[in-house]
Amino acid sequence: MFEQTDRTEIAKLGEFGLIDHLTKHIHIKNESSIKGVGDDAAVLDFKGKKALISTDMLLEGIHFDLAFTPLKHLGYKAIMVNLSDIYAMNGMATQVTVSLGFSSKFSLEAIEELYAGMLLACEKFNVDIIGGDTTSSRQGLVISITSIGYADESDIVYRNGAEEGDLICVSGDLGGAYVGLQLLEREKQVFLTNPNIQPDLEGKDYIVERQLKPEARIDIVDLLKKLKIKPTSMIDISDGLASEILHITRQSKKGCKIYEEKLPIDPMTAETALSFGLDPTVCALSGGEDYELLFTIKQADYDQMKHDVDISIIGYITEESAGNQLITKAGNVHDIKAQGWNAFTSTQS
Ligand SMILES: Nc1ncnc2c1ncn2[C@@H]1O[C@H](COP(=O)(O)OP(=O)(O)OP(=O)(O)O)[C@@H](O)[C@H]1O
Ligand SMILES: Cc1ncc(C[n+]2csc(CCOP(=O)(O)O)c2C)c(N)n1
Ligand SMILES: [Mg+2]
């Protein structure tokens, strides 16, 4: 759906020429980045803080479809997906390494676009690209990013700290990224059937952006700090709320009660889901890729939190034997199952 204009073969630059070309504009922003791109390893110094490290891969055909994903957006999203994991530890992200594998179908201009999205994300979130790897693949684009950050030991929030009675909170709204994906996939099919029909995404900017350009919630980490609230547990929502809350309760050896009516769903997400014959609640529970933060707080912190319109309290933690339950709008009780998106079981590829 996106046309390519100029085309320079990467072979013209060679591997080292390409690396130089992509990284020459990197200016180190963080004091902790002692040595970035250019040696056998980067050198970091967190001066008494604990280092946080996380890594995630994105593969063409599994995690993204280039038919409807502009490369600049993909670069931006690849960084967001990775920074989100550092914020989910209640830490600050400071560095990333970026490893790329791509076939000869990618021109220099295409890789530049991808990198421009990454650089934009890093600029906005004050993160340094300090290294990576560049190699060729037989087919398809592979992006592997490692994110690095820091936190005071006493600030780090794990998945396993939820206590009975804690309130379950979620930032932003859920299900939009999944419904956005459905919309983009439908338009791709329309385009494949008749390339003269332009994509009809009018008025759907919000959910399309939720899929193509997610924003990692650094602002929530800042807010928690400002309110002097340390969550008892936290995780980012990559696979879907249902799957993530089960990670928290399993690791904390607790159960939970979540109320369907409390799930934050944007009206456009709900309306578009219904037009696809999808249940908005199922999209919110199992759609994934929202990159919101799911966390638990002590009840004593409720008064501080209740004024924030961007955080929804969706339920509470129970004892383990009570299981993981969803209370529907009609008052029925269902067990929460991990129907989150899974690259190994997904039929979408
Ligand atoms: N191949 C692997 N070898 C070692 N550890 C792994 C491997 N794959 C995942 N892990 C570890 O397993 C844990 C859970 O990883 P997982 O990828 O499920 O979480 P996540 O990155 O938060 O979620 P997502 O990948 O959906 O964004 C992490 O500690 C991760 O580092
Ligand atoms: C072509 C295409 N197929 C599927 C999806 C959906 N999707 C991709 S990654 C992910 C969750 C986290 O994955 P992981 O756990 O592997 O990090 C989801 C729900 C998409 N955006 N594009
Ligand atoms: Mg992972």
Side-chain angles (χ1 to χ4, degrees):
M1 281 198 263
F2 300 96
E3 282 161 25
Q4 199 181 316
T5 44
D6 301 330
R7 181 178 174 95
T8 308
E9 295 300 330
I10 288 174
K12 258 180 103 174
L13 279 96
E15 182 186 337
F16 303 123
L18 174 66
I19 295 168
D20 191 44
H21 186 83
L22 292 176
T23 60
K24 67 184 170 206
H25 298 301
I26 292 175
H27 298 292
I28 295 294
K29 297 182 275 292
N30 291 283
E31 212 182 291
S32 52
S33 307
I34 308 293
K35 174 76 192 178
V37 173
D39 215 308
D40 294 303
V43 181
L44 307 179
D45 182 0
F46 289 110
K47 300 203 169 111
K49 310 266 184 193
K50 297 293 173 210
L52 305 171
I53 319 276
S54 180
T55 195
D56 263 318
M57 291 177 83
L58 294 179
L59 307 188
E60 184 178 350
I62 302 291
H63 297 95
F64 56 87
D65 184 338
L66 289 177
F68 52 73
T69 310
L71 283 161
K72 192 166 177 183
H73 285 71
L74 179 61
Y76 191 91
K77 178 170 175 174
I79 298 289
M80 287 306 126
V81 166
N82 277 273
L83 301 188
S84 178
D85 282 315
I86 301 292
Y87 302 142
M89 300 300 290
N90 204 27
M92 271 303 123
T94 37
Q95 290 87 12
V96 287
T97 63
V98 172
S99 298
L100 301 174
F102 46 85
S103 67
S104 57
K105 90 171 183 200
F106 289 88
S107 65
L108 174 64
E109 288 76 14
I111 299 300
E112 273 177 338
E113 273 294 291
L114 179 73
Y115 223 78
M118 292 182 173
L119 287 169
L120 178 67
C122 289
E123 198 56 46
K124 201 164 151 195
F125 284 71
N126 200 40
V127 166
D128 297 321
I129 296 180
I130 51 152
D133 196 23
T134 305
T135 186
S136 55
S137 82
R138 280 291 178 84
Q139 45 180 282
L141 174 60
V142 180
I143 305 170
S144 171
I145 294 180
T146 297
S147 49
I148 301 165
Y150 69 89
D152 282 332
E153 187 170 10
S154 58
D155 287 340
I156 299 176
V157 177
Y158 296 94
R159 294 177 178 181
N160 67 4
E163 297 283 357
E164 207 179 322
D166 286 354
L167 302 171
I168 303 171
C169 308
V170 66
S171 64
D173 56 72
L174 302 175
Y178 178 75
V179 179
L181 178 63
Q182 303 314 304
L183 208 58
L184 288 161
E185 280 180 342
R186 183 190 68 190
E187 292 311 311
K188 177 185 169 185
Q189 290 313 320
V190 171
F191 178 81
L192 289 176
T193 317
N194 183 350
N196 295 318
I197 299 180
Q198 286 301 302
D200 178 19
L201 301 170
E202 207 168 305
K204 301 289 185 188
D205 303 18
Y206 180 65
I207 49 178
V208 170
E209 276 211 5
R210 293 290 286 166
Q211 169 59 221
L212 294 181
K213 196 170 172 289
E215 297 284 327
R217 300 305 305 261
I218 188 174
D219 57 323
I220 300 294
V221 178
D222 288 339
L223 176 78
L224 290 166
K225 201 154 276 154
K226 200 178 94 201
L227 296 178
K228 297 196 169 55
I229 295 175
K230 182 183 172 190
T232 52
S233 68
M234 185 149 64
I235 189 168
D236 70 324
I237 302 182
S238 53
D239 283 341
L241 175 68
S243 164
E244 316 299 3
I245 190 65
L246 292 180
H247 281 305
I248 286 186
T249 55
R250 187 174 50 81
Q251 293 201 27
S252 302
K253 300 193 172 57
K254 296 287 179 292
C256 70
K257 268 199 166 57
I258 286 185
Y259 294 85
E260 182 186 16
E261 63 182 355
K262 303 283 185 197
L263 297 180
I265 301 176
D266 181 81
M268 191 191 291
T269 301
E271 183 193 305
T272 314
L274 292 170
S275 77
F276 276 102
L278 297 167
D279 178 352
T281 298
V282 173
C283 297
L285 285 171
S286 304
E289 291 191 287
D290 293 311
Y291 297 103
E292 295 296 342
L293 291 174
L294 174 67
F295 54 97
T296 53
I297 58 168
K298 296 191 200 80
Q299 285 189 22
D301 290 327
Y302 171 71
D303 280 340
Q304 297 261 65
M305 191 59 96
K306 69 179 179 201
H307 300 295
D308 199 289
V309 290
D310 208 22
I311 293 176
S312 306
I313 297 169
I314 59 169
Y316 61 93
I317 298 291
T318 59
E319 60 179 2
E320 190 172 25
S321 60
N324 296 282
Q325 299 184 328
L326 176 76
I327 320 300
T328 67
K329 288 176 186 164
N332 298 321
V333 179
H334 293 298
D335 282 343
I336 298 174
K337 300 257 160 52
Q339 281 161 334
W341 189 79
N342 182 323
F344 290 103
T345 55
S346 173
T347 49
Q348 302 172 354
S349 65

